Amino acid sequence: MARRANRRISKKAVSKPQAPPAQTRRGRRRQESEARILAAAEEIFAATGFAGATTAMIARRARIPKANLHYYFGTKTQLYRRVLERILEAWLASGDEIRPDADPETAFTHYIAAKIEASRRQPHASRVFANEILHGAPQLSDYLRREVRRWVEAKAVVLDGWARRGLIAPVDARHLFFVLWAATQTYADFEAQLRAVLGRKRLRAADYRAGAALITRMILATCRAGAK
């Protein structure tokens, strides 16, 4: 009797995996659709600029109905801003290791590697950003003055603290980041120039590694404690 009861309990305890709720499936489909649209938008905006791009072109590239694009992102301007903000959010997040308790050499090495990797993996987004800046940042000026400026000011406090503790030489953090951004983003924005000079049809993984290593040595030499 007890054995039969145990068998009944065991059968009840072993429940079949339930299908994900409809809301979860819809959320996943939305994420997938948004990712496809953003990837297509990066390519189209990079190739044609904001003025030359249309939502119809982006929808065709993403292989979705144009109505879906407008459902998820509203207007072309809203989609364009999201493309720009997404790459900036990734760039800023890559500097999370630059904090007071971090080792400066490790923090800079990881930050530079992440910025180079972003140029390798998201070259279109970087070119969209570069084109926006070349046109005076009409869609992004508020974000630059707010989020990016606050980020740089916060990192400057970290670098000043490292300098006071003798971990690095005193350095103007703002201009250090200007140089660092230009050096790492050139591997996306000026990829055609790099390929031509290196005699490549496309950049190799070793080219990105070599760039990251050289930029890291330059930055560390500039920031080395005792350097003038």
Side-chain angles (χ1 to χ4, degrees), residues 7-158:
R7 282 198 295 270
R8 286 198 297 272
I9 292 171
S10 298
K11 288 179 181 179
K12 289 181 180 179
V14 180
S15 58
K16 294 181 180 180
Q18 295 181 348
Q23 188 173 3
T24 302
R25 290 197 299 272
R26 285 197 299 270
R28 187 164 56 246
R29 283 199 300 269
R30 182 187 182 99
Q31 290 177 348
E32 292 170 354
S33 296
E34 288 181 351
R36 287 170 60 188
I37 293 167
L38 286 167
E42 288 176 2
E43 290 189 39
I44 298 298
F45 285 133
T48 69
F50 176 76
T54 67
T55 53
M57 293 165 61
I58 296 168
R60 281 197 301 272
R61 185 71 184 86
R63 297 181 179 178
I64 64 164
K66 181 181 171 183
N68 287 22
L69 183 150
H70 288 287
Y71 173 77
Y72 291 122
F73 291 98
T75 67
K76 182 177 82 165
T77 298
Q78 290 172 320
L79 175 57
Y80 179 70
R81 278 190 63 97
R82 185 62 198 126
V83 167
L84 291 168
E85 289 175 0
R86 187 169 76 144
I87 188 62
L88 274 169
E89 288 165 2
W91 283 345
L92 298 184
S94 65
D96 285 350
E97 289 191 44
I98 302 175
R99 57 183 190 271
D101 61 342
D103 169 63
E105 181 174 344
T106 302
F108 278 127
T109 298
H110 289 176
Y111 178 57
I112 293 165
K115 288 287 278 97
I116 286 285
E117 183 65 6
S119 289
R120 185 178 76 86
R121 289 184 176 274
Q122 292 181 280
H124 299 300
S126 183
R127 290 171 199 143
V128 175
F129 175 80
N131 195 45
E132 168 73 6
I133 297 301
L134 286 172
H135 285 82
Q139 298 293 333
L140 204 59
S141 57
D142 56 337
Y143 192 97
L144 296 173
R145 292 192 183 100
R146 233 179 21 250
E147 279 78 2
V148 177
R149 185 175 183 178
R150 280 201 293 262
W151 186 93
V152 172
E153 289 173 347
K155 299 308 177 185
V157 171
V158 173

Side-chain angles (χ1 to χ4, degrees), residues 182-212:
T184 53
Q185 287 159 225
T186 197
Y187 282 81
D189 304 341
F190 293 94
E191 181 193 9
Q193 176 178 267
L194 273 61
R195 285 190 286 103
V197 173
L198 293 172
R200 310 257 199 266
K201 289 185 177 180
R202 59 185 300 174
L203 293 181
R204 302 169 183 169
D207 297 324
Y208 294 100
R209 288 195 300 269

